[in-house]
Amino acid sequence: MNYAVVLAGGKGKRFGSGNISKQFVELTGIPMIVYSLLTAEKNTNIHEICVVVAEKEEKNIRRWAEKYNITKLKYFAHPGKERQQSVYSGLKAIAANARDTVMIMTSVCPFVSQETMNKHYEMIVSYDASITVVKATDAITFSNDGERVNRTLQKKKLYLQQGPQLYRYGILMMGHKVYMEDEEYRKMDVTEDSELVLNIGVECCMVKGDRFCIKITYPEDLAIAESLHPLFEEKERKYYDAQHHS
């Protein structure tokens, strides 16, 4: 079985949308989270979906699932204070076996392509973990205090991580459990599942994504996404046509 866990528990304070979390703000007239749910629904590899969301929002998610014909939604889980806790909550909610796969998706990256999703399922044959990346186009500066430069990393070997990520269920669960059971390790600010699986010695491969997959963090990102939407839809139509006429 292949599962998708969609993270939708964030508050989105940087977005500044008042009492509405950014994943529920409308993009082209559709709640943003619905894009992620539809992406998982349309992908032929994914069998069941779990949404990690505050209990008070479950009713809305169910309503949208019915409205947009999202039939694969089977589970709900409640978010934790940190991202790691939210992912772990989703992992515990699904009825997966060790060799099953779980795709970690976010509800604020509305334009994940089916091509990228399918590449992950091709790679899972050879690797137990994979993440989506794009090549860095700028140098990245590292600073301990946010004021002074400690190191500037050149872009030649740098990649920016996107969503989604795909893991064997047993591998990802082990990574989370090792993290939670190690008091010293827990002091580290771990924000990505790839760090957890790398820590237990599992190879993680990179799937090349595309520039459409932007993360909605600030209000201006929503305006960019509105502009990108018709171009992304056209790209998806061409991919669908190529897959079904080849």
Side-chain angles (χ1 to χ4, degrees):
M1 289 279 283
N2 300 323
Y3 298 85
V5 172
V6 180
L7 304 177
K11 302 294 183 183
K13 294 178 181 178
R14 288 174 292 180
F15 190 80
S17 54
N19 294 326
I20 303 175
S21 297
K22 62 182 177 180
Q23 60 268 32
F24 307 127
V25 171
E26 289 192 352
L27 171 62
T28 69
I30 300 172
M32 200 183 313
I33 186 176
V34 172
Y35 282 90
S36 297
L37 296 176
L38 286 172
T39 298
E41 177 72 27
K42 291 174 183 176
N43 191 271
T44 55
N45 295 290
I46 292 174
H47 302 117
E48 295 183 346
I49 301 170
C50 171
V51 175
V52 182
V53 70
E55 187 174 4
K56 65 179 181 179
E57 300 291 353
E58 285 186 20
K59 185 177 180 181
N60 283 331
I61 302 296
R62 292 183 189 278
R63 178 166 56 85
W64 293 329
E66 183 175 354
K67 179 178 180 179
Y68 294 99
N69 196 32
I70 298 164
T71 62
K72 296 178 183 178
L73 177 59
K74 304 295 182 182
Y75 310 93
F76 282 95
H78 299 151
K81 185 177 180 181
E82 305 295 338
R83 183 188 185 279
Q84 178 272 326
Q85 296 166 342
S86 295
V87 174
Y88 185 60
S89 178
L91 294 177
K92 291 190 297 181
I94 61 179
N97 296 316
R99 293 297 294 170
D100 290 340
T101 71
V102 55
M103 179 164 276
I104 307 299
M105 304 176 67
T106 173
S107 55
V108 293
C109 289
F111 301 152
V112 175
S113 72
Q114 291 296 319
E115 182 177 10
T116 297
M117 302 270 280
N118 290 335
K119 284 179 184 177
H120 277 280
Y121 287 103
E122 291 170 8
M123 296 306 295
I124 202 70
V125 176
S126 303
Y127 294 88
D128 289 331
S130 59
I131 63 171
T132 310
V133 300
V134 289
K135 197 79 174 66
T137 56
D138 299 295
I140 295 176
T141 294
F142 175 79
S143 172
N144 276 316
D145 60 10
E147 295 181 4
R148 292 164 295 183
V149 174
N150 292 105
R151 189 179 177 193
T152 295
L153 307 174
Q154 297 304 314
K155 62 186 179 182
K156 188 175 182 181
K157 295 183 179 180
L158 296 180
Y159 296 84
L160 305 179
Q161 188 165 327
Q162 298 180 323
Q165 307 169 42
L166 185 65
Y167 303 93
R168 291 290 178 190
Y169 178 79
I171 293 293
L172 187 53
M173 276 294 274
M174 185 186 302
H176 278 266
K177 288 178 178 178
V178 168
Y179 174 76
M180 291 185 296
E181 291 169 2
D182 189 323
E183 189 174 340
E184 287 301 311
Y185 189 21
R186 282 205 317 274
K187 293 177 182 178
M188 296 174 59
D189 183 20
V190 175
T191 59
E192 293 297 335
D193 297 288
S194 53
E195 294 181 70
L196 300 179
V197 299
L198 288 171
N199 179 63
I200 59 173
V202 174
E203 268 194 309
C204 184
C205 76
M206 298 191 301
V207 167
K208 302 298 170 55
D210 59 57
R211 299 287 170 183
F212 285 99
C213 186
I214 64 170
K215 182 180 179 183
I216 309 299
T217 304
Y218 300 102
E220 55 266 33
D221 296 330
L222 190 64
I224 294 170
E226 292 272 359
S227 299
L228 286 175
H229 180 253
L231 298 174
F232 176 75
E233 288 294 299
E234 178 63 21
K235 174 178 173 290
E236 289 297 276
R237 279 193 293 271
K238 287 181 179 178
Y239 178 72
Y240 178 85
D241 290 342
Q243 292 295 104
H244 288 79
H245 293 95
S246 58

